[in-house]
Amino acid sequence: MNGQGATGKHEQFRDGNGILDALKPVAVIDIGSNSIRLVIYEGLNRDLSPLFNEKVLCGLDRGVARTGSLEEEAADRALRAIKRFFMLSEQARVSSVVVLATAAVREADNGQSFLSKVEDICGDKVIVLSGEEEARFSASGIKSGFRNPVGCVGDMGGGSLELVALGMGKEEKGTTFPLGGIRLREVTGGSISEAANISRLALKRSKVLPLLKGKVFYAVGGTWRTLARLHMAEVGYPLRVMHNYRIGGPQFRNLCEMVERCDLEMLAGIGDISKVRQALLPYGAAVLRQIIEIGEPAEIIMSALGVREGYLFELLSRDQQSEDALILACKKLCRLRSRSHRFAEEIFEWSEKVYAIIGIKDTPEQKRLRRAACLISDMGWRAHPDYRGEQSLNVIAHAAITSIDHPGRAFLALCMFYRYEGISGAHPGSRLREIAGPENIDLARKLGSFLRLAYVAGASFPGMLSQMTPIRKDNRILLKIDSSLLSSMSEKLPRRWQSFSQYCGFEGVISEG
């Protein structure tokens, strides 16, 4: 059964089997102008975790600008991919398969014939998005993956470019331009300079770009993500995480100009990129450079989420949309990898009391990250004790989580490292600490020390931390423990309490409550 448009209800998704019992997997087959992609998500909720993700570069838009029709070879390859993807979706026992189609199919003279064949394979209607709908769903994808995004969203595919303003008090209808990579290559006969000229003339008419000056441009699309990968390689960036990767507007403009003009083989990291994708990079660079020069954004932020995620986001209720995707993701990790999810929640509740007594004043975002860290604080327990810190750091640093920037991601990873390794022993890599920044490093050491304390105090069993009350007396912090528990406390507890208290500038004392 297909989705029934953005206004449909998620009750349409029938029973399925997710990794977590309450989740029912959903599949999206995205028929783009350059690639056909299948993503099977773990469930329809605020945290869209992919169970399976595969694409086939078919180049459906190739020939559309020249002949007005989809080329037979590209269409046949796309149909083979769709047939395989639908079979895999059935094998995964998904609750629903949503099939979306964009510019190439929408504009081709033989697009309807192609759609009929797709519908024969999938057994239901394909949702053909207008350019305005593509822009809207791209913007919703950004809403899904970022906290309170403000700026302009651009989604560049093989056949078109969509632009839309977001969160600036002037919500514009999305605008579509025939500035996809394949389309530009065809209409210019392979001339990069001509592609830049065409892009500039078209984008000067945009009503969105004048709103962009000094703000953020959210970049969606495989070609632009590939450009960002080149930037990562050029600067030696330590995290291979594309979502929320940030580049200053002038720096990205310089990279785009270089890609337009130089031999691609000279670029660092180019060997990891397919020849098919390499061929479109100069056109993506030409379009993005014009956006930067006309709009003058302060920075470019890369997004791994776009139309697919935006479409599913709009199926959620308002209450579901308002949920915190990071906290939801950490709750999932907690249930999958921790010994007790109840104890993880109790750690956060206990941290509220301890932090208040000590006088640690978190910002709302720091408190949010502290809650996330508490939820994932036991994820390394199955590993060998000698490697728990390093493994947990690497898992969190590179986890498929959204609604968190890279400094926040580095903070959580460092928290896990210090939680297992302590704050006086080994040190994590300097580049990750550089991303986190001095303030986050200090907060991570403090929270890591607290988490080490909590797991000794409560032994990962619910119900114990509530019987331990912190009290402040001058420069001392007393931990009053119920008399029924005090005699059975771990010998490590006084040392852990003193270590944490000292790091916060106090003397730590254990007493009977």
Side-chain angles (χ1 to χ4, degrees), residues 9-10 45-46 313 315-325 328:
K9 299 296 184 181
H10 65 276
N45 60 26
R46 192 61 182 80
F313 180 78
L315 293 177
L316 301 175
S317 68
R318 287 189 177 273
D319 286 343
Q320 288 174 309
Q321 289 179 3
S322 66
E323 289 180 322
D324 190 325
L328 183 56

PDB file of all heavy atoms in Angstrom, residues 9-10 45-46 313 315-325 328:
ATOM      1  N   LYS A   9      -2.726  10.052   7.112  1.00  0.00           N
ATOM      2  CA  LYS A   9      -2.425   9.739   8.504  1.00  0.00           C
ATOM      3  C   LYS A   9      -1.549   8.503   8.567  1.00  0.00           C
ATOM      4  O   LYS A   9      -1.642   7.594   7.745  1.00  0.00           O
ATOM      5  CB  LYS A   9      -3.722   9.472   9.288  1.00  0.00           C
ATOM      6  CG  LYS A   9      -4.653  10.677   9.312  1.00  0.00           C
ATOM      7  CD  LYS A   9      -4.028  11.847  10.041  1.00  0.00           C
ATOM      8  CE  LYS A   9      -4.979  13.020  10.158  1.00  0.00           C
ATOM      9  NZ  LYS A   9      -4.398  14.165  10.843  1.00  0.00           N
ATOM     10  N   HIS A  10      -0.685   8.471   9.597  1.00  0.00           N
ATOM     11  CA  HIS A  10       0.224   7.348   9.669  1.00  0.00           C
ATOM     12  C   HIS A  10      -0.471   6.062  10.094  1.00  0.00           C
ATOM     13  O   HIS A  10       0.137   5.000  10.090  1.00  0.00           O
ATOM     14  CB  HIS A  10       1.396   7.660  10.611  1.00  0.00           C
ATOM     15  CG  HIS A  10       0.999   7.849  12.046  1.00  0.00           C
ATOM     16  ND1 HIS A  10       0.543   9.046  12.514  1.00  0.00           N
ATOM     17  CD2 HIS A  10       1.014   6.995  13.094  1.00  0.00           C
ATOM     18  CE1 HIS A  10       0.286   8.931  13.807  1.00  0.00           C
ATOM     19  NE2 HIS A  10       0.553   7.714  14.185  1.00  0.00           N
ATOM     20  N   ASN A  45       8.423   7.633  12.877  1.00  0.00           N
ATOM     21  CA  ASN A  45       8.415   8.455  14.075  1.00  0.00           C
ATOM     22  C   ASN A  45       9.394   9.605  13.903  1.00  0.00           C
ATOM     23  O   ASN A  45       9.919   9.822  12.814  1.00  0.00           O
ATOM     24  CB  ASN A  45       8.705   7.619  15.329  1.00  0.00           C
ATOM     25  CG  ASN A  45      10.064   6.939  15.263  1.00  0.00           C
ATOM     26  OD1 ASN A  45      10.985   7.410  14.585  1.00  0.00           O
ATOM     27  ND2 ASN A  45      10.201   5.837  15.970  1.00  0.00           N
ATOM     28  N   ARG A  46       9.652  10.319  14.972  1.00  0.00           N
ATOM     29  CA  ARG A  46      10.467  11.529  14.887  1.00  0.00           C
ATOM     30  C   ARG A  46      11.934  11.238  14.591  1.00  0.00           C
ATOM     31  O   ARG A  46      12.644  12.088  14.071  1.00  0.00           O
ATOM     32  CB  ARG A  46      10.321  12.283  16.216  1.00  0.00           C
ATOM     33  CG  ARG A  46      10.866  13.683  16.218  1.00  0.00           C
ATOM     34  CD  ARG A  46      10.177  14.577  15.197  1.00  0.00           C
ATOM     35  NE  ARG A  46      10.783  15.902  15.223  1.00  0.00           N
ATOM     36  CZ  ARG A  46      11.931  16.207  14.625  1.00  0.00           C
ATOM     37  NH1 ARG A  46      12.584  15.280  13.934  1.00  0.00           N
ATOM     38  NH2 ARG A  46      12.423  17.410  14.704  1.00  0.00           N
ATOM     39  N   PHE A 313       7.889  13.133   7.559  1.00  0.00           N
ATOM     40  CA  PHE A 313       7.708  14.069   8.673  1.00  0.00           C
ATOM     41  C   PHE A 313       6.316  14.667   8.644  1.00  0.00           C
ATOM     42  O   PHE A 313       5.671  14.845   9.692  1.00  0.00           O
ATOM     43  CB  PHE A 313       8.771  15.166   8.577  1.00  0.00           C
ATOM     44  CG  PHE A 313       8.703  16.201   9.670  1.00  0.00           C
ATOM     45  CD1 PHE A 313       9.193  15.924  10.938  1.00  0.00           C
ATOM     46  CD2 PHE A 313       8.172  17.460   9.420  1.00  0.00           C
ATOM     47  CE1 PHE A 313       9.144  16.888  11.951  1.00  0.00           C
ATOM     48  CE2 PHE A 313       8.119  18.427  10.413  1.00  0.00           C
ATOM     49  CZ  PHE A 313       8.606  18.140  11.686  1.00  0.00           C
ATOM     50  N   LEU A 315       3.654  13.301   7.654  1.00  0.00           N
ATOM     51  CA  LEU A 315       2.651  12.316   8.032  1.00  0.00           C
ATOM     52  C   LEU A 315       2.463  12.233   9.549  1.00  0.00           C
ATOM     53  O   LEU A 315       1.482  11.664  10.023  1.00  0.00           O
ATOM     54  CB  LEU A 315       3.038  10.929   7.508  1.00  0.00           C
ATOM     55  CG  LEU A 315       3.022  10.725   5.989  1.00  0.00           C
ATOM     56  CD1 LEU A 315       3.494   9.324   5.655  1.00  0.00           C
ATOM     57  CD2 LEU A 315       1.632  10.964   5.418  1.00  0.00           C
ATOM     58  N   LEU A 316       3.407  12.768  10.306  1.00  0.00           N
ATOM     59  CA  LEU A 316       3.327  12.712  11.758  1.00  0.00           C
ATOM     60  C   LEU A 316       2.333  13.738  12.289  1.00  0.00           C
ATOM     61  O   LEU A 316       2.072  14.757  11.655  1.00  0.00           O
ATOM     62  CB  LEU A 316       4.707  12.990  12.373  1.00  0.00           C
ATOM     63  CG  LEU A 316       5.843  12.047  11.988  1.00  0.00           C
ATOM     64  CD1 LEU A 316       7.158  12.542  12.588  1.00  0.00           C
ATOM     65  CD2 LEU A 316       5.546  10.628  12.438  1.00  0.00           C
ATOM     66  N   SER A 317       1.803  13.464  13.469  1.00  0.00           N
ATOM     67  CA  SER A 317       0.941  14.448  14.136  1.00  0.00           C
ATOM     68  C   SER A 317       1.798  15.619  14.611  1.00  0.00           C
ATOM     69  O   SER A 317       3.035  15.534  14.683  1.00  0.00           O
ATOM     70  CB  SER A 317       0.246  13.800  15.339  1.00  0.00           C
ATOM     71  OG  SER A 317       1.200  13.493  16.347  1.00  0.00           O
ATOM     72  N   ARG A 318       1.173  16.725  14.969  1.00  0.00           N
ATOM     73  CA  ARG A 318       1.912  17.886  15.465  1.00  0.00           C
ATOM     74  C   ARG A 318       2.691  17.529  16.732  1.00  0.00           C
ATOM     75  O   ARG A 318       3.819  18.005  16.944  1.00  0.00           O
ATOM     76  CB  ARG A 318       0.958  19.054  15.731  1.00  0.00           C
ATOM     77  CG  ARG A 318       0.432  19.701  14.466  1.00  0.00           C
ATOM     78  CD  ARG A 318      -0.321  20.985  14.793  1.00  0.00           C
ATOM     79  NE  ARG A 318      -0.775  21.641  13.578  1.00  0.00           N
ATOM     80  CZ  ARG A 318      -0.056  22.502  12.872  1.00  0.00           C
ATOM     81  NH1 ARG A 318       1.175  22.790  13.262  1.00  0.00           N
ATOM     82  NH2 ARG A 318      -0.544  23.071  11.795  1.00  0.00           N
ATOM     83  N   ASP A 319       2.090  16.713  17.595  1.00  0.00           N
ATOM     84  CA  ASP A 319       2.776  16.315  18.825  1.00  0.00           C
ATOM     85  C   ASP A 319       4.025  15.502  18.495  1.00  0.00           C
ATOM     86  O   ASP A 319       5.075  15.685  19.121  1.00  0.00           O
ATOM     87  CB  ASP A 319       1.847  15.496  19.721  1.00  0.00           C
ATOM     88  CG  ASP A 319       0.783  16.355  20.393  1.00  0.00           C
ATOM     89  OD1 ASP A 319       0.955  17.593  20.428  1.00  0.00           O
ATOM     90  OD2 ASP A 319      -0.218  15.790  20.871  1.00  0.00           O
ATOM     91  N   GLN A 320       3.920  14.606  17.531  1.00  0.00           N
ATOM     92  CA  GLN A 320       5.082  13.808  17.139  1.00  0.00           C
ATOM     93  C   GLN A 320       6.157  14.688  16.506  1.00  0.00           C
ATOM     94  O   GLN A 320       7.351  14.514  16.769  1.00  0.00           O
ATOM     95  CB  GLN A 320       4.663  12.711  16.160  1.00  0.00           C
ATOM     96  CG  GLN A 320       3.868  11.585  16.803  1.00  0.00           C
ATOM     97  CD  GLN A 320       3.348  10.605  15.754  1.00  0.00           C
ATOM     98  OE1 GLN A 320       2.740  11.007  14.767  1.00  0.00           O
ATOM     99  NE2 GLN A 320       3.590   9.324  15.973  1.00  0.00           N
ATOM    100  N   GLN A 321       5.739  15.640  15.683  1.00  0.00           N
ATOM    101  CA  GLN A 321       6.709  16.531  15.046  1.00  0.00           C
ATOM    102  C   GLN A 321       7.474  17.352  16.074  1.00  0.00           C
ATOM    103  O   GLN A 321       8.641  17.696  15.854  1.00  0.00           O
ATOM    104  CB  GLN A 321       6.002  17.460  14.060  1.00  0.00           C
ATOM    105  CG  GLN A 321       5.493  16.766  12.807  1.00  0.00           C
ATOM    106  CD  GLN A 321       4.769  17.726  11.866  1.00  0.00           C
ATOM    107  OE1 GLN A 321       4.688  18.926  12.133  1.00  0.00           O
ATOM    108  NE2 GLN A 321       4.247  17.204  10.764  1.00  0.00           N
ATOM    109  N   SER A 322       6.832  17.670  17.179  1.00  0.00           N
ATOM    110  CA  SER A 322       7.478  18.507  18.198  1.00  0.00           C
ATOM    111  C   SER A 322       8.404  17.726  19.112  1.00  0.00           C
ATOM    112  O   SER A 322       9.118  18.316  19.938  1.00  0.00           O
ATOM    113  CB  SER A 322       6.412  19.218  19.042  1.00  0.00           C
ATOM    114  OG  SER A 322       5.669  18.278  19.796  1.00  0.00           O
ATOM    115  N   GLU A 323       8.430  16.399  19.004  1.00  0.00           N
ATOM    116  CA  GLU A 323       9.333  15.594  19.822  1.00  0.00           C
ATOM    117  C   GLU A 323      10.791  15.893  19.463  1.00  0.00           C
ATOM    118  O   GLU A 323      11.102  16.305  18.345  1.00  0.00           O
ATOM    119  CB  GLU A 323       9.053  14.106  19.630  1.00  0.00           C
ATOM    120  CG  GLU A 323       7.757  13.624  20.238  1.00  0.00           C
ATOM    121  CD  GLU A 323       7.533  12.141  20.003  1.00  0.00           C
ATOM    122  OE1 GLU A 323       7.871  11.639  18.915  1.00  0.00           O
ATOM    123  OE2 GLU A 323       7.013  11.476  20.912  1.00  0.00           O
ATOM    124  N   ASP A 324      11.670  15.660  20.404  1.00  0.00           N
ATOM    125  CA  ASP A 324      13.099  15.894  20.212  1.00  0.00           C
ATOM    126  C   ASP A 324      13.716  14.645  19.572  1.00  0.00           C
ATOM    127  O   ASP A 324      13.790  13.584  20.204  1.00  0.00           O
ATOM    128  CB  ASP A 324      13.769  16.177  21.560  1.00  0.00           C
ATOM    129  CG  ASP A 324      15.201  16.659  21.423  1.00  0.00           C
ATOM    130  OD1 ASP A 324      15.901  16.200  20.500  1.00  0.00           O
ATOM    131  OD2 ASP A 324      15.622  17.488  22.244  1.00  0.00           O
ATOM    132  N   ALA A 325      14.165  14.768  18.329  1.00  0.00           N
ATOM    133  CA  ALA A 325      14.701  13.617  17.604  1.00  0.00           C
ATOM    134  C   ALA A 325      15.949  13.053  18.270  1.00  0.00           C
ATOM    135  O   ALA A 325      16.174  11.835  18.260  1.00  0.00           O
ATOM    136  CB  ALA A 325      15.008  13.999  16.155  1.00  0.00           C
ATOM    137  N   LEU A 328      14.867  11.068  21.408  1.00  0.00           N
ATOM    138  CA  LEU A 328      14.208   9.842  20.979  1.00  0.00           C
ATOM    139  C   LEU A 328      15.235   8.827  20.486  1.00  0.00           C
ATOM    140  O   LEU A 328      15.148   7.630  20.802  1.00  0.00           O
ATOM    141  CB  LEU A 328      13.186  10.143  19.876  1.00  0.00           C
ATOM    142  CG  LEU A 328      12.350   8.963  19.375  1.00  0.00           C
ATOM    143  CD1 LEU A 328      11.614   8.289  20.519  1.00  0.00           C
ATOM    144  CD2 LEU A 328      11.375   9.415  18.299  1.00  0.00           C
TER     145      LEU A 328
END
